[in-house]
Amino acid sequence: MSKPMKSTAFTMTCALVLVAVFSALILSSVYQLTKEPIQKAKNLRELEAIRDVVYGDFANNPFEERHQISLAHGREKVDLFPARDENGKITSVAIKTYSKNGFGGKIEMMLGLTVDGTINKYKIIDQKETPGLGTKITESRFSDQFHGMNPGKQVFKVKQDGGEIDAVTAATISSRAVVDAIKRGYKALNKLSKGNKHE
């Protein structure tokens, strides 16, 4: 009786190993097939976000001129995309920035600044804030107040912290996270302007 049981256990083990190997091969193949389309879709979403936040149209391909700026001694990295007019002049810069201080965790946005750091607008590209509360940071009622502000020339904080920005009602943490992300983007722009990409 023991021999058939051993044989059955061995057969089942081999079958499980084969299934695991076969599944891994399939997953690997699917990943390779979908990797490029997924990246293209992500780039397209980011390009659309860039168009949404910069001043006017641009004649260049911002992706080809992307600069990655290191902040906090290399612990933070922010991507900047210069937007140029037909004469090659940089009219504004789109910045993919973020804050880890959202109520639901990390918030990512595309931020549009002029070369002097004045805010045009921003677009949230990823967030996990509370529906109906923190998610209001994506609405124009909140985001429009940032247009024309300059983090380097104003008290760039929510009013609860002594600043000039109206926080979303019952979502102060989410509002602070937006301010934090914008400050990070502004800092990256200043660093690029000074010719320093890495600390």
Side-chain angles (χ1 to χ4, degrees):
M1 295 293 292
S2 60
K3 287 184 179 179
M5 288 179 66
K6 286 182 179 179
S7 177
T8 301
F10 177 76
T11 302
M12 289 178 64
T13 301
C14 289
L16 287 172
V17 170
L18 287 173
V19 169
V21 170
F22 186 65
S23 298
L25 288 172
I26 291 176
L27 288 172
S28 177
S29 298
V30 170
Y31 172 75
Q32 291 300 325
L33 288 172
T34 59
K35 181 180 179 181
E36 187 174 344
I38 289 173
Q39 186 60 48
K40 284 183 177 179
K42 182 180 179 183
N43 289 346
L44 182 60
R45 287 196 301 271
E46 289 188 358
L47 186 60
E48 290 174 351
I50 290 171
R51 291 187 187 280
D52 286 342
V53 302
V54 298
Y55 281 91
D57 295 324
F58 45 85
N60 65 319
N61 183 340
F63 278 102
E64 293 179 355
E65 297 187 53
R66 181 179 67 177
H67 297 282
Q68 189 171 79
I69 305 297
S70 293
L71 302 173
H73 303 288
R75 294 190 301 273
E76 301 175 357
K77 297 186 184 300
V78 177
D79 291 332
L80 284 78
F81 306 90
R84 299 179 184 272
D85 61 19
E86 294 179 353
N87 298 316
K89 181 180 179 181
I90 297 177
T91 56
S92 57
V93 178
I95 304 170
K96 185 180 178 183
T97 182
Y98 67 91
S99 174
K100 294 181 180 179
N101 300 328
F103 187 80
K106 188 175 183 180
I107 294 173
E108 290 185 308
M109 70 164 66
M110 193 68 75
L111 169 68
L113 299 176
T114 60
V115 291
D116 72 346
T118 300
I119 300 168
N120 182 36
K121 61 192 299 187
Y122 71 78
K123 182 175 183 179
I124 302 293
I125 54 180
D126 189 40
Q127 54 84 20
K128 299 177 182 65
E129 301 304 280
T130 306
L133 291 174
T135 53
K136 290 183 179 180
I137 60 173
T138 65
E139 298 176 3
S140 59
R141 184 181 302 180
F142 174 71
S143 64
D144 283 354
Q145 68 179 309
F146 292 91
H147 178 74
M149 297 186 77
N150 188 309
K153 299 178 181 179
Q154 294 169 272
V155 182
F156 201 71
K157 300 177 181 179
V158 295
K159 288 183 177 178
Q160 289 88 332
D161 298 331
E164 305 176 27
I165 298 164
D166 289 312
V168 173
T169 302
T172 304
I173 293 175
S174 302
S175 304
R176 285 178 176 139
V178 169
V179 172
D180 178 51
I182 293 175
K183 283 182 176 178
R184 182 171 283 103
Y186 177 80
K187 183 178 179 181
L189 177 64
N190 281 343
K191 192 169 184 182
L192 178 66
S193 299
K194 293 175 183 177
N196 300 315
K197 298 180 185 179
H198 303 284
E199 287 185 343

